[in-house]
Amino acid sequence: MLTNMTSLTEFCIQLPKVEAHAHINGSLSPQTLRELVARKVDMNPELAAFTIPDSLDRIDDFFALFKFIYQLTDDESSVAHATKRVMEEFAADGVRYLELRTTPRANLAKGMTKQSYVKTVVSTIQRDCPGTMVTKLILSIDRRNTLEEAQETVDLAIQFAKETNMVVGVDLCGDVMKGSFLALKPAFERAQQHHFNITLHFNEVKENIPEAPDLLSIHPDRLGHATLLDDLSRNTIYQRNIPVEICMTSNVFSKTVATYERHHVKELMDEKHPFILCTDDKGVFASELSNEYVLASKTFGLNRERLFEASFKAIDSIFADQETKDELKAIWLTWKKDHQYLFVE
Ligand code: IMP
Ligand code: ZN
């Protein structure tokens, strides 16, 4: 009898995958954080004491972590190092197409402007993206931004999309309890006029529900999380077939979803609604993308065929043209043909 000794974990690492929701500064592995600390600890010994907690009591505690992480990526060379490592780690985990996202950040004391921040990320992607993977960039607008700051991010997206073909979208992220989407809406509309795809962190906590109609009014191309759906949001998302970026560990870790078993991806799977399994912040939540596939498999009984199907279907929801999607699909299908033995369970 044919038996397959490859573990589920190994299968999920080898499986070609799309990662579409990964914040650069949340994706720094313990090893990368140590490397970044080592570069700065002489100047700032306090950095050596920092550790990422094992779990968080509330999602609010999560946003506080970035006060520390941002001290490690406060100059161009550290941003380049972080970006390079994040790409290498995703590639080593079997990611073949990566949409990284990041919030342009300035630190004038170290000569870093928002523009030089984005330039650093873009040129690091151009120079250091591993050959097995394509990397694109989404620029994030933080909910705490003023409209002027949000427009500056859109300016940067326009500039770098012209100079390279790398910037593919604009995101709304940041502290779920702060800011208002309506104040920032004109910036997203301008991004759409310039043909950027839009993804919005959506309904992570119940306090976000009242503004859901405003977010949906701009017709986003994808939604992040979409954890708590009132009837209007649910109907709109299903009617428009809006793909959802699913980050199971992130949600359970930050306690916006009670347990893996009760995760809303189950409903999306039952409804055959498009979703992409993603990590969100693989450094903070200590979960590689392959682990998200393992979790989905163990929690919902998905066999290897279904895991492949989930990864393959995710290609339809990436921010790329049909030609790129078809090329990726061909890579996926060739991989499957060459690795049939891995599907024997
Ligand atoms: P950066 O944009 O590369 O600096 O990545 C870190 C930033 O991503 C944080 O400051 C947050 O604003 C944002 N972020 C990461 N995860 C989440 C999330 O789950 N919800 C909202 N914002 C997030
Ligand atoms: Zn996120």
Side-chain angles (χ1 to χ4, degrees):
M1 199 179 89
L2 196 56
T3 54
N4 175 19
M5 301 301 287
T6 312
S7 68
L8 176 64
T9 301
E10 185 52 31
F11 174 83
C12 290
I13 293 171
Q14 289 199 36
L15 179 70
K17 295 175 291 298
V18 161
E19 169 61 84
H21 187 138
H23 302 264
I24 292 181
N25 283 279
S27 300
L28 309 177
S29 65
Q31 171 61 22
T32 303
L33 288 172
R34 275 194 294 275
E35 289 166 10
L36 291 167
V37 167
R39 295 160 69 107
K40 294 182 182 285
V41 74
D42 288 349
M43 300 290 286
N44 187 355
E46 283 170 23
L47 292 175
F50 181 83
T51 49
I52 300 271
D54 290 337
S55 75
L56 298 170
D57 289 336
R58 293 142 42 85
I59 193 171
D60 311 32
D61 299 339
F62 163 75
F63 294 102
L65 284 175
F66 289 98
K67 289 201 181 79
F68 164 74
I69 294 175
Y70 283 164
Q71 292 180 59
L72 301 179
T73 53
D74 66 349
D75 62 75
E76 289 160 23
S77 123
S78 305
V79 169
H81 186 75
T83 306
K84 180 171 188 282
R85 282 281 185 263
V86 168
M87 287 190 295
E88 286 168 353
E89 288 162 4
F90 275 119
D93 191 47
V95 172
R96 304 295 186 99
Y97 176 87
L98 171 65
E99 283 172 11
L100 275 181
R101 61 183 73 187
T102 199
T103 322
R105 183 161 39 91
N107 181 14
L108 299 182
K110 296 204 174 159
M112 183 167 77
T113 61
K114 288 187 178 185
Q115 187 176 52
S116 74
Y117 178 96
V118 179
K119 188 172 173 42
T120 301
V121 173
V122 165
S123 43
T124 306
I125 295 173
Q126 283 173 323
R127 194 181 52 238
D128 295 321
C129 180
T132 53
M133 187 173 78
V134 172
T135 302
K136 298 288 177 180
L137 186 62
I138 295 171
L139 293 186
S140 297
I141 292 175
D142 191 293
R143 294 178 62 90
R144 285 160 293 190
N145 282 171
T146 61
L147 176 59
E148 198 185 355
E149 288 166 328
Q151 293 286 21
E152 195 184 342
T153 298
V154 176
D155 288 340
L156 291 170
I158 294 168
Q159 180 196 333
F160 284 95
K162 262 192 208 136
E163 291 175 14
T164 69
N165 61 355
M166 209 164 281
V167 184
V168 293
V170 176
D171 164 49
L172 173 75
C173 76
D175 194 331
V176 288
M177 306 299 276
K178 308 243 166 82
S180 119
F181 174 73
L182 266 191
L184 305 173
K185 188 175 169 182
F188 285 91
E189 288 171 332
R190 190 162 72 95
Q192 286 177 315
Q193 284 154 15
H194 287 267
H195 308 293
F196 287 104
N197 293 285
I198 303 294
T199 176
L200 306 172
H201 281 68
F202 187 79
N203 283 20
E204 288 182 73
V205 293
K206 65 177 186 330
E207 286 80 357
N208 296 147
I209 294 175
E211 67 167 8
D214 295 331
L215 271 72
L216 293 169
S217 73
I218 64 158
H219 287 248
D221 301 281
R222 288 199 313 245
L223 293 172
H225 304 302
T227 312
L228 301 168
L229 297 187
D230 55 314
D231 287 345
L232 179 75
S233 301
R234 179 179 284 102
N235 291 341
T236 310
I237 291 170
Y238 284 135
Q239 267 165 22
R240 293 195 207 146
N241 212 30
I242 308 174
V244 182
E245 301 151 3
I246 290 292
C247 312
M248 290 176 69
T249 299
S250 162
N251 298 154
V252 172
F253 196 101
S254 21
K255 301 203 167 49
T256 56
V257 170
T259 62
Y260 288 108
E261 289 71 23
R262 287 168 62 184
H263 199 280
H264 51 289
V265 69
K266 173 78 167 64
E267 182 183 328
L268 300 181
M269 289 191 293
D270 289 348
E271 297 289 334
K272 304 213 176 323
H273 187 84
F275 66 90
I276 314 181
L277 294 179
C278 303
T279 53
D280 204 5
D281 299 280
K282 74 177 182 62
V284 178
F285 303 128
S287 180
E288 304 288 319
L289 185 58
S290 57
N291 187 53
E292 297 300 307
Y293 278 77
V294 171
L295 280 171
S297 171
K298 288 191 172 162
T299 310
F300 303 112
L302 306 186
N303 64 17
R304 295 180 187 199
E305 202 61 58
R306 294 271 318 271
L307 291 175
F308 178 85
E309 189 194 334
S311 155
F312 187 71
K313 283 193 174 157
I315 298 170
D316 284 324
S317 305
I318 64 173
F319 291 162
D321 56 21
Q322 195 55 46
E323 194 184 335
T324 307
K325 291 179 184 178
D326 290 343
E327 281 167 16
L328 290 172
K329 285 183 177 181
I331 293 172
W332 261 238
L333 292 173
T334 305
W335 179 86
K336 189 176 185 205
K337 199 160 131 274
D338 293 346
H339 294 80
Q340 269 306 317
Y341 60 95
L342 293 181
F343 287 79
V344 180
E345 289 183 72

